[in-house]
Amino acid sequence: MTRTAREISEYGFYHVVQKGCGGQLIFEDEDDRLYLIRLIASKCQKFKVDVIAWCLMDNHIHLLLDDEHAHLSDCMHSITTAYAMYFNSKTGRKGPLFQDRFKSVPILDDDQLLNCVRYIHDNPAKARIDTASLYRWSSFSEYMGYPGICKTDCVLELLGNSQRFFAFSTSGEPNGYCFRYGAHVSDADALEFAQALLKPYEPHHLKALPKGVRDDCIRKLKSEGFSIKQIVRLTGIGHCTIQKVKIEK
């Protein structure tokens, strides 16, 4: 099967996600996480890729990388191969540890960059594990002044300082960024993305709005890749009503 070529970012930044094969856990303990963090640092240094943000979840990882020299694929291949060899040797398992090749989304402007950093750090909160500021296995603390593997200056310069980063990251405002590999919006991201897209309306408000306003909101959701079933779940509006709303070309 022919692989789809990766989208290229003229800005140089990429949001990268690597999942465990079949959703399996990729960490057994704290030592595994520390090993991967050190591996990311060393391989990124070798391939001249800057780490802007990171978060380790139980069965997948998020990275925001600055790939100025176009070494992203080689860098990620080196990281995942080395970690899989380590993990398989330690645990006695065989076969691929990671699910296919990594997925990446190009970051196109400063707003997307900032919201991507926030999105990455918010993963533990969305999974109901811990708040972004208290979760140990992400780069959030590095933006608050603790040493780590990230190059934080580009984000902090955009926001002003660490205090403003904290305020931005914990504002509670819906985040208009989500990881979109292709047109589809994942269920995990759908609600917050819809809230940001439809502001000042909440998705469940749509069914009480005037028909013209309601249909414009549905059209926005469809245009951004929401499926009809997702819109039904988010809004409570009937399937047939949503289907009749056409996207303007």
Side-chain angles (χ1 to χ4, degrees):
M1 182 181 293
T2 302
R3 287 182 168 179
T4 303
R6 295 193 183 278
E7 291 185 72
I8 303 299
S9 169
E10 294 181 5
Y11 199 50
F13 293 88
Y14 294 88
H15 180 185
V16 173
V17 174
Q18 181 70 74
K19 296 182 178 181
C21 190
Q24 78 162 68
L25 300 180
I26 57 175
F27 305 108
E28 286 290 322
D29 53 34
E30 178 179 292
D31 289 341
D32 294 344
R33 294 175 188 265
L34 292 171
Y35 184 87
L36 182 57
I37 293 168
R38 290 193 295 268
L39 197 58
I40 291 169
S42 65
K43 296 297 185 182
C44 284
Q45 182 178 32
K46 175 183 177 181
F47 288 98
K48 299 180 180 180
V49 175
D50 289 329
V51 182
I52 307 302
W54 58 271
C55 183
L56 308 185
M57 301 298 286
D58 290 343
N59 62 3
H60 67 282
I61 63 174
H62 287 267
L63 299 170
L64 177 56
L65 302 175
D66 181 3
D67 181 35
E68 182 181 354
H69 303 284
H71 294 158
L72 179 64
S73 291
D74 289 338
C75 182
M76 286 303 300
H77 177 72
S78 186
I79 291 169
T80 55
T81 299
Y83 183 76
M85 290 177 63
Y86 155 83
F87 189 81
N88 285 357
S89 176
K90 174 181 174 177
T91 61
R93 72 178 300 280
K94 296 181 180 180
L97 176 63
F98 293 106
Q99 180 176 304
D100 201 12
R101 60 176 180 164
F102 67 93
K103 293 180 171 62
S104 65
V105 171
I107 303 300
L108 305 177
D109 55 44
D110 288 346
D111 284 343
Q112 191 181 11
L113 177 73
L114 293 176
N115 286 317
C116 178
V117 172
R118 183 181 162 200
Y119 174 92
I120 288 173
H121 290 153
D122 275 345
N123 265 257
K126 289 181 179 179
R128 299 184 179 182
I129 296 172
D130 210 339
T131 62
S133 61
L134 294 178
Y135 187 64
R136 178 180 177 186
W137 304 109
S138 85
S139 53
F140 191 100
S141 63
E142 296 182 40
Y143 281 89
M144 301 308 298
Y146 291 89
I149 67 172
C150 282
K151 182 180 178 181
T152 61
D153 55 345
C154 59
V155 171
L156 292 179
E157 284 172 7
L158 288 172
L159 290 171
N161 54 41
S162 293
Q163 288 69 38
R164 290 182 179 177
F165 166 82
F166 186 89
F168 169 77
S169 300
T170 60
S171 67
E173 288 292 314
N175 192 344
Y177 174 86
C178 66
F179 184 80
R180 298 183 61 184
Y181 190 74
H184 181 66
V185 181
S186 72
D187 280 346
D189 293 327
L191 177 59
E192 186 174 11
F193 187 27
Q195 288 172 325
L197 189 66
L198 301 175
K199 195 175 180 181
Y201 305 117
E202 287 287 334
H204 65 271
H205 290 162
L206 266 59
K207 58 189 174 185
L209 294 176
K211 183 177 184 298
V213 179
R214 180 201 69 189
D215 288 355
D216 283 344
C217 290
I218 292 173
R219 203 169 283 116
K220 283 183 181 180
L221 294 173
K222 281 189 167 185
S223 298
E224 290 294 339
F226 286 80
S227 68
I228 290 175
K229 289 182 178 179
Q230 283 178 323
I231 299 173
V232 170
R233 291 195 292 271
L234 288 168
T235 66
I237 298 171
H239 179 278
C240 293
T241 300
I242 294 167
Q243 193 170 36
K244 289 178 182 178
V245 177
K246 304 300 182 183
I247 300 174
E248 296 176 355
K249 295 182 180 180

